Amino acid sequence: MNKKKAFITGINGQDGSYLAEHLLEKDYEVYGIVRRNSIAENQESRIDHLIGKGVHTEYGDLLDVSSLERMLGTIKPDEIYNIGAQSHVRISFDVPQFTVQTNALGVLNMLEAYKYHCPKARFYQASSSEMFGRSVEEDGYQRETTRMEPTSPYGCAKVFGYNIVKHYRHAHNLFAVNGILFNHESPRRGSNFVTNKVVKAAVRIKLGLPDGLELGNMDAYRDWGHSKDYVRAMNMIMNHNTPDDFVVSTGVTHSVREMCDYVFGLLDLNYKDYVTQNPKFLRAEELKYLKGDSTKIRETLGWKPEYTFETMMEEMTKHWMKIYE
């Protein structure tokens, strides 16, 4: 029996690398595209340990249609996971055009290549809680039926991607689905994202390395889960019997301030002695609150997170302690 083949954009990112590991454990053959980086050592650092073990990569880009068509036409994958994106919300204010091209037009490029070269495959789009923006239900949650009012170029582009996937599903009878993922982190998260930024700085301070920590809005509340739990959800959504869209979240929120207090507390430090606010890290329009209702995926597919906020932050702290020690 032939192995199922999966194609992943953004395979060298946090989610892509965990997803590749998860699919290998389920005996998939995994393919992905990586964007060329002038520092070759960093290009595939998150998946170096997987090369030669069932993971194959080639250069490509969501904005280079020929690379997408070449790979999908040659591989003929069974499952396509479009995880690649300009993924930093704050930076989307600095590079709005690139963000929209990658996160909106890039989805359309993928869908067109998918439609023409392997329409029997299944397609997953990495949608985002940032699409909800300032819109919150009366009970404090955001769910599949919540109105979308994004507050960033990133969120706006993701709304387009979400809707164009639904359009292709209905217009072209494709198995195309959205996972509306709330914030998810891990030791593999880039250190310019707030979770790893906080953990890395706290560990350096604990070890006596010269460092301080400048943050933006410390009273922003987010629903933080672990990337490992969320890539499991992606695969479950793809293998559901009908194409559908699901919110993936923990249903628990914490503020950036609470996160600082917890992480520094793990190291017997008081965050107030080290953390300052820098206006350059504030967004042009702040998004104060996100909390997801994942009842649908829990009841329909039986998914539930294995990590808590606390165990995730502890894992990340131990990771950076090991690196610096």
Side-chain angles (χ1 to χ4, degrees):
M1 183 177 178
N2 293 330
K3 291 184 176 182
K4 290 178 74 173
K5 291 188 283 189
F7 178 80
I8 305 172
T9 68
I11 192 171
N12 54 333
Q14 171 189 246
D15 291 359
S17 62
Y18 281 124
L19 178 60
E21 288 179 352
H22 180 71
L23 295 178
L24 286 178
E25 290 173 0
K26 296 173 74 71
D27 205 31
Y28 281 69
E29 192 168 353
V30 180
Y31 297 81
I33 54 171
V34 295
R35 300 182 65 210
R36 182 192 173 275
N37 190 313
S38 59
I39 305 175
E41 291 76 12
N42 293 346
Q43 208 155 252
E44 298 184 358
S45 59
R46 293 187 181 97
I47 56 171
D48 277 341
H49 62 295
L50 303 177
I51 302 300
K53 298 180 180 179
V55 169
H56 315 274
T57 62
E58 288 189 27
Y59 288 121
D61 194 288
L62 290 172
L63 299 181
D64 185 83
V65 177
S66 63
S67 66
L68 303 179
E69 293 192 338
R70 182 184 71 250
M71 292 199 71
L72 292 185
T74 302
I75 298 165
K76 302 290 186 183
D78 301 289
E79 297 176 6
I80 302 166
Y81 295 85
N82 187 41
I83 305 174
Q86 192 299 97
S87 60
H88 200 291
V89 179
R90 168 62 190 84
I91 292 174
S92 76
F93 290 94
D94 299 329
V95 288
Q97 290 171 305
F98 174 74
T99 299
V100 171
Q101 288 173 334
T102 304
N103 297 3
L105 182 58
V107 182
L108 181 58
N109 291 342
M110 282 294 300
L111 287 167
E112 280 290 293
Y114 159 44
K115 181 181 72 173
Y116 283 110
H117 292 285
C118 47
K120 293 182 179 180
R122 297 186 172 199
F123 183 95
Y124 172 88
Q125 166 62 14
S127 291
S128 169
S129 58
E130 290 282 336
M131 301 187 304
F132 297 125
R134 65 181 76 86
S135 180
V136 181
E137 302 283 355
E138 290 184 1
D139 62 1
Y141 287 90
Q142 288 131 333
R143 50 182 61 89
E144 291 84 1
T145 55
T146 301
R147 186 177 66 254
M148 295 179 180
E149 295 186 18
T151 59
S152 66
Y154 173 91
C156 292
K158 283 290 186 178
V159 170
F160 175 87
Y162 169 80
N163 281 317
I164 200 69
V165 166
K166 293 182 69 173
H167 165 65
Y168 270 63
R169 179 165 77 216
H170 298 296
H172 303 293
N173 196 31
L174 298 171
F175 196 107
V177 299
N178 287 284
I180 307 172
L181 273 55
F182 279 65
N183 296 65
H184 47 286
E185 315 297 322
S186 76
R188 296 182 188 177
R189 176 60 103 177
S191 56
N192 62 340
F193 287 79
V194 68
T195 46
N196 248 345
K197 184 177 180 179
V198 168
V199 172
K200 185 178 178 180
V203 168
R204 286 176 58 86
I205 291 167
K206 178 65 176 180
L207 296 177
L209 299 170
D211 212 343
L213 178 57
E214 295 182 339
L215 297 174
N217 181 13
M218 294 185 64
D219 296 308
Y221 283 78
R222 294 293 184 269
D223 183 334
W224 277 298
H226 197 293
S227 178
K228 282 186 179 180
D229 286 331
Y230 286 35
V231 300
R232 281 195 298 108
M234 295 178 193
N235 187 233
M236 293 172 80
I237 293 168
M238 281 284 260
N239 284 279
H240 186 36
N241 52 16
T242 56
D244 203 353
D245 310 314
F246 293 88
V247 162
V248 183
S249 65
T250 70
V252 180
T253 62
H254 297 273
S255 69
V256 175
R257 190 179 304 278
E258 290 170 350
M259 178 176 61
C260 289
D261 186 43
Y262 186 76
V263 171
F264 277 78
L266 289 174
L267 301 170
D268 298 318
L269 299 170
N270 187 339
Y271 80 93
K272 295 178 181 178
D273 296 332
Y274 306 100
V275 180
T276 57
Q277 189 176 69
N278 188 328
K280 79 175 183 179
F281 296 121
L282 296 173
R283 301 181 185 182
E285 182 179 3
E286 285 292 337
L287 176 53
K288 297 179 180 179
Y289 184 88
L290 286 172
K291 183 166 72 170
D293 176 7
S294 54
T295 300
K296 181 179 176 181
I297 191 171
R298 292 173 189 250
E299 294 183 350
T300 306
L301 304 182
W303 176 87
K304 64 179 181 179
E306 296 177 356
Y307 281 83
T308 65
F309 172 79
E310 290 77 14
T311 58
M312 178 181 71
M313 300 312 300
E314 289 162 14
E315 179 188 79
M316 292 168 69
T317 303
K318 289 176 183 177
H319 168 81
W320 283 106
M321 284 294 290
K322 183 177 179 181
I323 287 178
Y324 280 111
E325 286 181 334

